[in-house]
Amino acid sequence: MTSRRQFLLRTAAAGVAVPAAARATLAASPSRTLPADAPPQPPGRPFVDYTPVETPNGASLPWKVVDGRKVFHLIAEPVRHTFAPGLQANCFGYNGRVHGPTIEAVEGDTVRIYVTNKLDQPTTVHWHGLIVPCGMDGVGGLTQRSIEPGETFLYEFVLRQHGTFMYHSHHDEMTQMAMGLMGMFVVHPRRPDEPRPDRDFVYMLSEWPIVVGTERPNPTEMTDFNVLTFNATVFPATAPMVVKKGQRVRIRIGNLSAMDHHPIHLHGHAFTVIGTDGGTIPPPARWSETAVLVAVGQTRTMEFFADNPGDWAMHCHMTHHVMTQMGHGVPNLVGVDPSLFDEKLAALDPTFAAMGSDTGGEASGADTEDDTLPKNSLPMVGGAGPFGYITMGGMVTVLKVRENLNDYADPGPYAHPAGTVADVASADNLAKDGIDG
């Protein structure tokens, strides 16, 4: 018979053993392919040690090697940014861009990142998700003093993990992140144990409160974000992802929106979620999706084979996030025919055209401004499509899968095989299937 004392001793011993096992499991982090105490490695080489990422509507930050270290230079500065033709704003960015260019390196690299502050206020840079020495973490007032205007600070650390991460200001974040001070940080594995992707895309999700007619985001807004973007760009100005049929495609998505999570839905393909900002997900724990929720402050990485040719939408599934500068405080006009009002007003003023409705017989494209709109604004939805007007805007882009490609330039609309496009049902089919048309 077990005494109470023996039972308590055994329970206590088991309680000690479990944390030890947990520590062993945590030490073998899936975000590392090198030992935690491995020495710094030679600088990873693009197209040799990794396949470089592509940031649609963006760019990668240049680097050089000095004494075995990769040297980068970020410049925080005011930027006049175009979200789409017709909508510009005075923002903050890095190196003349909103968002900042993607930083790309390899696990084991030693990176030196110089940060020059050309703003009129202090700033810092936080390396979101990266495990770095405390003094390199970039939290103004806590781990360093802030970078004053005109100063250049140096951040230096060895990349001890791989995955999809982000960087952003950590001084007066409400203002500076709302103004655009953020970017993506991709670290490739030193010793990959899975095939490299053929195409590797990176997206930053963000949201902006820009009142129609104004030219600066409002950092104090907490709920009403009316410009929703992929890589700081509004559809239809978002560049498509162009891939060849059969390619292994990876899409990395980070979300530094102020208040909103985003369920990102891809049409035409199911994908596997293979990573988070915590690192690679072990294969037995991965899951398949057609829509993945990317919460504020998180990244998600998914992968799939592009085996279904066509032009496939990828968008946030929050319905108001596929609109731009949505109108509020107006009557519910669903079901109302406004044409009579428009006709009567046009009779009085021949130059009148309902906002966003006068397309001259053709839907306006990504490079065309609509002169019926208020100054510095965009239509709530829409862009030209091969079958008419696409009634989505905001956080939308397109995956273009083609069987034959000579390069990755936009191939134009998909040429559908005969008989594969939904159209008006024929009288013969309606009669044959007993459908009352």
Side-chain angles (χ1 to χ4, degrees):
M1 181 176 178
T2 302
S3 68
R4 180 174 179 274
R5 178 181 177 82
Q6 291 172 325
F7 173 79
L8 292 173
L9 287 173
R10 289 173 185 173
T11 302
V16 171
V18 170
R23 284 195 299 272
T25 301
L26 291 174
S29 169
S31 63
R32 291 176 177 153
T33 63
L34 295 173
D37 58 353
Q41 303 293 302
R45 300 159 295 173
F47 301 105
V48 177
D49 298 310
Y50 63 93
T51 301
V53 300
E54 180 177 335
T55 308
N57 298 103
S60 292
L61 185 64
W63 51 270
K64 58 185 176 181
V65 176
V66 180
D67 296 332
R69 301 176 177 89
K70 281 187 177 174
V71 178
F72 300 84
H73 187 192
L74 279 175
I75 302 171
E77 58 189 346
V79 176
R80 176 76 170 172
H81 176 66
T82 299
F83 292 94
L87 179 60
Q88 293 185 325
N90 298 312
C91 302
F92 293 166
Y94 295 103
N95 299 64
R97 289 189 168 275
V98 178
H99 303 292
T102 298
I103 299 175
E104 190 171 15
V106 178
E107 178 187 10
D109 283 351
T110 300
V111 296
R112 306 189 86 182
I113 306 175
Y114 290 90
V115 178
T116 298
N117 184 7
K118 290 188 177 181
L119 300 171
D120 62 358
Q121 56 194 266
T123 192
T124 67
V125 180
H126 168 59
W127 317 103
H128 188 111
L130 287 169
I131 308 303
V132 299
C134 185
M136 296 291 168
D137 196 45
V139 181
L142 178 64
T143 65
Q144 67 167 90
R145 74 169 179 85
S146 296
I147 309 169
E148 296 295 330
E151 292 186 323
T152 296
F153 271 37
L154 171 62
Y155 296 88
E156 182 170 349
F157 41 86
V158 179
L159 297 171
R160 297 293 187 186
Q161 67 205 104
H162 63 84
T164 304
F165 311 103
M166 301 177 283
Y167 66 93
H168 60 83
S169 168
H170 223 304
H171 172 93
D172 189 11
E173 301 95 292
M174 182 193 78
T175 299
Q176 296 192 356
M177 292 177 68
M179 294 290 288
L181 281 182
M182 59 184 73
M184 297 297 292
F185 199 132
V186 174
V187 183
H188 297 277
R190 176 65 57 167
R191 299 171 182 168
D193 53 9
E194 297 183 74
R196 295 180 193 166
D198 300 298
R199 303 285 280 145
D200 197 341
F201 299 97
V202 180
Y203 285 98
M204 172 70 78
L205 312 180
S206 53
E207 56 191 11
W208 313 75
I210 304 177
V211 176
V212 171
T214 66
E215 298 190 356
R216 190 181 300 277
N218 178 9
T220 65
E221 180 58 59
M222 296 181 66
T223 59
D224 193 6
F225 299 92
N226 61 357
V227 177
L228 289 300
T229 59
F230 277 132
N231 289 340
T233 306
V234 171
F235 182 81
T238 48
M241 297 176 282
V242 180
V243 307
K244 295 179 182 179
K245 181 183 176 182
Q247 286 187 320
R248 179 187 290 263
V249 180
R250 183 175 295 169
I251 303 177
R252 308 167 187 260
I253 303 175
N255 182 12
L256 286 178
S257 299
M259 300 296 290
D260 287 306
H261 310 319
H262 300 292
I264 302 301
H265 175 47
L266 176 65
H267 293 213
H269 296 79
F271 53 79
T272 301
V273 181
I274 66 168
T276 72
D277 37 299
T280 301
I281 300 171
R286 297 174 182 177
W287 68 96
S288 296
E289 292 276 14
T290 63
V292 61
L293 182 65
V294 188
V296 174
Q298 291 185 338
T299 73
R300 291 292 181 266
T301 302
M302 60 257 213
E303 201 166 276
F304 60 95
F305 286 102
D307 56 5
N308 194 4
D311 290 345
W312 303 107
M314 187 176 83
H315 61 93
C316 179
H317 223 289
M318 297 280 193
T319 54
H320 281 209
H321 293 183
V322 291
M323 301 172 69
T324 302
Q325 293 186 313
M326 298 78 74
H328 300 283
V330 296
N332 182 358
L333 298 179
V334 175
V336 174
D337 181 2
S339 60
L340 294 177
F341 173 81
D342 292 349
E343 289 173 6
K344 290 181 178 180
L345 189 55
L348 295 174
D349 181 3
T351 65
F352 167 78
M355 184 175 70
S357 66
D358 183 12
T359 60
E362 297 290 337
S364 60
D367 299 322
T368 308
E369 295 187 26
D370 185 344
D371 59 10
T372 70
L373 297 173
K375 177 184 176 182
N376 204 45
S377 67
L378 294 174
M380 283 194 289
V381 295
F387 296 98
Y389 202 72
I390 301 171
T391 53
M392 293 193 298
M395 198 174 279
V396 181
T397 190
V398 178
L399 169 71
K400 297 194 172 189
V401 182
R402 299 291 188 272
E403 296 201 38
N404 299 300
L405 288 174
N406 295 321
D407 55 40
Y408 293 115
D410 186 345
Y414 179 61
H416 297 265
T420 64
V421 177
D423 207 338
V424 177
S426 69
D428 287 345
N429 282 336
L430 291 171
K432 178 182 176 180
D433 293 328
I435 302 297
D436 294 329

